[in-house]
Amino acid sequence: MTRSPATPLPPPKARRRLRETAALTQTQLATRVGVTPGIVRAWESGRTTPRGRKREAYARLLKTLAEEEAARQAKRKQQEQQEQQEQQEHQKPDEKRESAPAPVPKLEPESKPEPQSDAQPAPEPEPEPESRPESAPVALTPAQAFDALYAFSAPALVRQTFLLTGRREQARESVERAFQAAWERWPEVARDRDPVGWVRATAYDYALSPWQRFRPRHRHPEPPPADPGDRTLLNTLLRLPPRHRRTLVLYDGVGLDLPETAAETEASTPATANRLLHAREAVAGRLPALADPQVLHRRLTELASNERLRAAEPPAVRRGGERRARLRTRAAIAFTVALIGTTALTVRTAPTHYEPPVSPGQAVRGVPHRVAPGALSDEELELRQKLRDQMQDGPERLLPRLE
């Protein structure tokens, strides 16, 4: 499922400048957008980025403020031009009156300002150096671009992941692992339309992995939030199924619209809508005051903001990812070498021809024991004599005759 293109926004400093130029406070701007002043403060400082419907409303408001500012500047320039024209019109009659008594001497002063008029256009090329830096922006190195992305989005992602897991260290570790994966695939992530969304999806997948429950850290609970209301809301979120919890945090917490939420959770739009409705019903069933989506969004933001969650420095995250990649590479090389050595040893010691196995010996029963030769008994002597006497009358095969 493809995501809808996000509305472009000016930089955080430009947003604050537009608000201050329009003589609006953060509270007034938050009221017009439909959010809290703390969210506007986070948007202007660059700690968070508006998403979904809030982004559209915020972008329209900033565009309106920019258009109003441009209209005011155009009107101000027009007034200045009119004033200059009026001043020039007032100066022309005075010059005519001064030049009337002595027209001849006035010819010399009139010719003297000509070098000034010729010299005035000379400094016109001065604005050219100002436009050169704008046309040639400074290119950032991959490490600088990664550090800027991490510093901009990591604190907000840690707070969002905390809403999914309820564990501070697991949220921090999930975000760091996601950024390490982004650094390993940095060319792909840098060209992505929404790098923050790429990292967020990776962090959420790692945080909600079912293998987390087998870790020793998961067996020891962390201290809950100090505020009873925050503790109740967090317990309510943790009771939701992971898919419903993730959908609720993305839609009502982060502010994504329904198609973007469906694309990030890899589900269809109807399935995402059903998960969102079930999650809201579960939260409203235990906390009726949060039945309103606006109130739920504000409470989720306050719950994430009240926790003191730390994030490592960008260079430490990059070094940790590189060290992990080196360890994996060395382990793969060692395993390959061991596999090659085992194969070579097997080929070396393997037999070149087939030798059937010798069956183990078995005792034969029912055969009389072998007796050593000795003197014949009377019965044996009688039998031998009988055979000798009857040999000539016996079968030919015993004693063949020559003809």
Side-chain angles (χ1 to χ4, degrees), residues 151-169:
F152 173 73
S153 59
L157 290 178
V158 173
R159 289 192 293 269
Q160 296 169 17
T161 312
F162 172 73
L163 297 179
L164 292 176
T165 61
R167 295 179 173 272
R168 301 167 183 83
E169 290 299 323

Side-chain angles (χ1 to χ4, degrees), residues 78-94:
Q78 186 177 2
Q79 292 177 356
E80 292 178 355
Q81 291 177 358
Q82 291 179 357
E83 292 177 357
Q84 291 178 359
Q85 291 178 359
E86 292 177 358
Q87 291 178 0
Q88 291 177 0
E89 290 176 358
H90 288 303
Q91 290 177 359
K92 287 181 179 179
D94 297 339

Side-chain angles (χ1 to χ4, degrees), residues 9 46 139 141-142 166 172 189 192 219 225 228 237 266 275 277 284 289 294 326 337-338 358 365 367 369 372 388-389:
L9 290 175
T141 62
R172 179 191 58 80
V189 178
D192 192 84
R219 303 172 185 173
L237 290 177
E266 297 181 354
R275 294 174 184 175
L277 293 177
Q294 298 293 337
R326 285 195 300 268
V337 171
V358 180
R365 297 182 180 181
V367 178
H369 294 285
R388 288 177 179 178
D389 295 342

Side-chain angles (χ1 to χ4, degrees), residues 164-386:
L164 292 176
T165 61
R167 295 179 173 272
R168 301 167 183 83
E169 290 299 323
Q170 184 174 344
R172 179 191 58 80
E173 182 183 2
S174 301
V175 174
E176 290 183 5
R177 289 292 183 87
F179 272 100
Q180 290 174 0
W183 179 242
E184 293 178 3
R185 304 169 179 83
W186 182 245
E188 172 189 351
V189 178
R191 290 191 298 267
D192 192 84
R193 184 183 60 84
D194 186 10
V196 178
W198 192 97
V199 177
R200 180 176 57 242
T202 306
Y204 286 8
D205 291 339
Y206 183 84
L208 296 177
S209 174
W211 296 103
Q212 294 287 348
R213 69 185 67 178
F214 298 105
R215 304 185 63 180
R217 181 190 303 171
H218 195 81
R219 303 172 185 173
H220 305 285
E222 293 187 0
D227 185 61
D230 293 347
R231 191 184 311 119
T232 304
L233 177 57
L234 183 60
N235 293 334
T236 304
L237 290 177
L238 296 179
R239 288 185 178 182
L240 297 175
R243 295 180 178 178
H244 295 186
R245 192 189 321 155
R246 182 173 183 176
T247 303
L248 182 68
V249 170
L250 288 174
Y251 190 85
D252 289 329
V254 181
L256 300 183
D257 55 10
L258 197 60
E260 290 181 346
T261 304
E264 188 156 325
T265 55
E266 297 181 354
S268 62
T269 304
T272 304
N274 291 332
R275 294 174 184 175
L276 180 62
L277 293 177
H278 289 310
R280 284 181 174 178
E281 290 177 359
V283 174
R286 191 172 186 188
L287 300 173
L290 302 183
D292 187 5
Q294 298 293 337
V295 179
L296 178 60
H297 172 72
R298 185 176 68 253
R299 288 291 295 120
L300 290 176
T301 305
E302 293 175 354
L303 174 60
S305 302
N306 292 338
E307 292 295 327
R308 294 183 178 181
L309 303 173
R310 59 185 181 88
E313 296 297 327
V317 176
R318 283 192 287 106
R319 288 193 298 268
E322 294 171 357
R323 182 168 56 253
R324 189 180 301 275
R326 285 195 300 268
L327 291 177
R328 286 198 298 265
T329 304
R330 292 173 182 174
I333 293 175
F335 177 76
T336 304
V337 171
L339 183 61
I340 293 174
T342 305
T343 306
L345 180 62
T346 304
V347 172
R348 177 63 178 167
T349 58
T352 57
H353 62 281
Y354 177 73
E355 296 180 358
V358 180
S359 60
Q362 296 180 357
V364 180
R365 297 182 180 181
V367 178
H369 294 285
R370 187 174 181 180
V371 182
L376 298 177
S377 61
D378 296 339
E379 295 178 356
E380 292 176 348
L381 291 174
E382 183 180 357
L383 179 60
R384 186 178 62 178
Q385 186 63 35
K386 184 178 180 180

Side-chain angles (χ1 to χ4, degrees), residues 103-120:
V104 177
K106 279 291 179 180
L107 294 176
E108 296 178 358
E110 290 177 359
S111 61
K112 290 180 180 179
E114 293 177 1
Q116 297 178 359
S117 60
D118 296 336
Q120 288 177 357

